[in-house]
Amino acid sequence: MTVFGILTGYKNGHLPSLAGADWERNSFAMTPHLIIRGGRKLSGDIRIGGMKNAALPILFALLLVQDEVTLEELPPVTDIETTLQILCNAGAEMERLSPTAIRIHTKNADPDAVPLRLTTELRGSSYLLGAELGRFGRAVTGIPGGCNFGIRPLDQHFRLLRALGAAIEEENGLLCASAPKGLHGAQIRLDFPSVGATVNGILAATRATGTTVISNAAREPHIVDLANFLNACGAEISGAGTSTIRICGIPRLHGTRYRIAPDMIEAGTYLCAVCGTGGKLRLENVCPEHLGAILSPLRKMGAEINVSDQDLTLERTGTLYGTVLETAPYPGFPTDMQPQFAPLLCISRGGGRIYERVWKNRFQYADELCRMGGNIRLAGDFADFSGGDRLTGTTVRATDLRGGAAMLIAGLCAKGTTALYDIRHIERGYPDFAAKLTAIGADVCTAAEKSGAR
Ligand code: EPU
């Protein structure tokens, strides 16, 4: 029986001793976890890193560029490390210039050397299909992994790649694609503005013969960043950031130096944390134009936000109010931010509701939040929060990347000590999150730090 199995059924977080010394003697406590002592106001500065969900397609796009590329602001998170490992195993030659910058070329890349097991560890590995088809006319990848939100179909990716001339089959847990006669331009309308399908379409079409037009394309900033990167390498892509993207295929791309745009979800997560605890946060390296749909509910909830050319500040000193959120593709309110607002709604005056319109199953964190005292009712694609809850520290786990960020925020807002397990999910997308939070006054440390220094 797992420890979490034992805990099932305890609601409202009344297990404070489990986060204490007795708990640590249990061998399970030796798995990496975070100890959060909540209830502190947070204040200070945080520098935001490069956008993970832009860095992933840009890294796979390197397969289309045989010359040397220098990338800056690569976020040092495990999803990026896994992607670099996939590329290097496949023959890319890379030099690390700093923790966030690399020089790399894929001149000698070999599609048969791709480590298939690693490709199952992240969702972004589906981008191997578009990139390898574009470069080699064939591709093989494992069924992509990533956060578990129920079934994550790839039908839109396949429709797009097939329209460009590829044949795709699923065999023994592998996706195999080929285009022996090469890829050709096509006009295609996506059924849903899928980020991943749009990325794969751009990757496959960049070196195809002729012109491709993708309509009902995703408009997310990561799509724009990918197009900007490829254009810096000589590609001819227009319309990224709108619903219609036009790609005139060209035979060859050249090297470049490129700085990845700041991560709007990392920025939004820290803004939520400080809006929840109260205090004042200044963010450096942000793109305010990407943050509109995140700042607007934070303002409604009582935060004062000021934006300048160089930075963004958020301050909350008064009451935290509830609100209603509804996720939607960009420029709507991002699904990747709804979990982080959940602990705020729990403790807010008036509570609220979150409608999840992008993923079928993205409220797994709700059970964990209920253990801490959250009063949440799930009903189909929405969750109701009664508000006015007093969150109390206990032992919880990160269910997925953003669900983990939500539990981290809950721990910061809670009374007492929270032990947060499965933080590997958070490490997939948030660089140095414990250090960044400590720098603004949070009491957060890993279990190893705790047994040593404290
Ligand atoms: N969908 C299909 N068929 C497809 C593709 C998608 O039905 O072929 C559906 C999905 O099931 C889902 C919706 O369309 O209901 C959106 O999927 P999308 O393809 O846009 O998502 P994705 O590319 O798999 C990326 C991000 C996610 C983020 C979504 C939505 C990456 C690596 N992942 O996923 O990020 O939630 O877009 O914005 O870029 C995260 O960072 O925590 C994360 C999960």
Side-chain angles (χ1 to χ4, degrees):
M1 192 192 290
T2 66
V3 173
F4 289 116
I6 295 168
L7 293 183
T8 302
Y10 288 83
K11 295 282 178 189
N12 299 326
H14 295 310
L15 289 165
S17 65
L18 289 181
D22 289 350
W23 174 241
E24 283 186 354
R25 280 200 290 274
N26 184 315
S27 61
F28 184 75
M30 297 320 288
T31 63
H33 64 281
L34 207 64
I35 300 289
I36 308 157
R37 289 192 186 81
R40 295 176 163 221
K41 279 196 169 156
L42 302 179
S43 270
D45 295 3
I46 288 181
R47 186 178 189 283
I48 297 304
M51 189 163 25
K52 170 188 81 91
N53 288 346
L56 286 169
I58 289 173
L59 285 177
F60 285 106
L62 290 169
L63 288 167
L64 296 168
V65 191
Q66 275 122 294
D67 296 344
E68 194 169 87
V69 169
T70 300
L71 286 178
E72 295 169 353
E73 297 289 357
L74 259 189
V77 293
T78 47
D79 271 9
I80 296 301
E81 285 306 314
T82 306
T83 306
L84 290 174
Q85 239 178 302
I86 292 172
L87 291 174
C88 290
N89 272 266
E93 284 170 41
M94 180 182 86
E95 184 190 345
R96 276 186 204 269
L97 305 176
S98 78
T100 57
I102 58 168
R103 190 179 296 136
I104 186 164
H105 74 77
T106 64
K107 222 173 289 173
N108 304 318
D110 172 3
D112 296 325
V114 167
L116 295 175
R117 191 192 54 78
L118 276 186
T119 62
T120 62
E121 288 185 11
L122 69 164
R123 185 67 180 172
S125 63
S126 63
Y127 303 153
L128 271 171
L129 291 177
E132 288 194 354
L133 277 168
R135 164 91 176 264
F136 305 108
R138 64 193 173 91
V140 181
T141 179
I143 305 281
C147 293
N148 179 8
F149 308 139
I151 297 169
R152 292 181 70 169
L154 290 169
D155 57 302
Q156 299 300 303
H157 301 236
F158 297 166
R159 268 189 65 218
L160 229 158
L161 296 174
R162 285 181 179 131
L164 290 164
I168 304 172
E169 281 177 28
E170 210 175 310
E171 264 175 42
N172 305 325
L174 296 177
L175 299 174
C176 308
S178 65
K181 293 185 189 151
L183 296 171
H184 52 73
Q187 302 225 352
I188 183 153
R189 183 180 170 78
L190 295 176
D191 296 338
F192 179 90
S194 154
V195 171
T198 305
V199 167
N200 254 328
I202 292 175
L203 294 174
T206 292
R207 287 179 53 174
T209 313
T211 297
T212 298
V213 179
I214 306 173
S215 49
N216 201 23
R219 300 167 57 188
E220 269 71 0
H222 6 307
I223 302 290
V224 178
D225 217 28
L226 170 67
N228 287 345
F229 166 71
L230 286 167
N231 285 340
C233 298
E236 292 181 18
I237 302 168
S238 56
T242 76
S243 298
T244 306
I245 301 178
R246 189 183 176 85
I247 306 132
C248 298
I250 54 157
R252 195 176 194 290
L253 297 175
H254 55 73
T256 191
R257 183 183 196 95
Y258 192 77
R259 175 180 288 250
I260 292 161
D263 195 319
M264 63 186 213
I265 305 298
E266 190 196 10
T269 301
Y270 291 120
L271 291 173
C272 275
V274 176
C275 189
T277 62
K280 185 169 182 177
L281 176 67
R282 180 174 158 271
L283 293 180
E284 287 168 41
N285 194 38
V286 284
C287 258
E289 65 270 28
H290 296 164
L291 290 166
I294 299 170
L295 299 186
S296 153
L298 286 170
R299 284 189 170 113
K300 278 192 200 147
M301 294 176 87
E304 196 177 301
I305 297 171
N306 289 303
V307 179
S308 80
D309 286 349
Q310 284 82 39
D311 60 11
L312 185 155
T313 56
L314 172 145
E315 184 167 18
R316 186 185 65 82
T317 46
T319 306
L320 180 68
Y321 297 99
T323 192
V324 174
L325 300 164
E326 181 169 2
T327 70
Y330 191 84
F333 176 74
T335 172
D336 292 347
M337 278 306 302
Q338 66 92 340
Q340 298 90 314
F341 273 80
L344 275 57
L345 291 177
C346 285
I347 60 173
S348 68
R349 180 189 288 175
R353 177 175 281 189
I354 297 177
Y355 291 95
E356 173 54 62
R357 305 291 199 203
V358 177
W359 295 107
K360 287 220 161 43
N361 185 15
R362 204 172 190 175
F363 289 116
Q364 295 102 318
Y365 63 81
D367 257 2
E368 302 301 309
L369 216 38
C370 288
R371 284 172 189 275
M372 296 181 68
N375 199 341
I376 306 170
R377 190 177 66 86
L378 296 182
D381 66 353
F382 66 86
D384 275 331
F385 298 78
S386 23
D389 301 330
R390 194 175 158 80
L391 297 181
T392 312
T394 185
T395 298
V396 287
R397 71 187 179 99
T399 50
D400 57 83
L401 169 56
R402 310 302 171 187
M407 297 318 296
L408 187 51
I409 293 172
L412 294 168
C413 296
K415 183 172 180 299
T417 302
T418 298
L420 176 54
Y421 282 80
D422 280 349
I423 52 171
R424 67 195 155 88
H425 289 296
I426 308 177
E427 289 163 351
R428 287 186 34 226
Y430 291 95
D432 305 326
F433 62 91
K436 288 186 180 187
L437 285 169
T438 305
I440 60 169
D443 189 344
V444 172
C445 64
T446 63
E449 282 165 349
K450 185 166 182 281
S451 56
R454 286 161 193 256

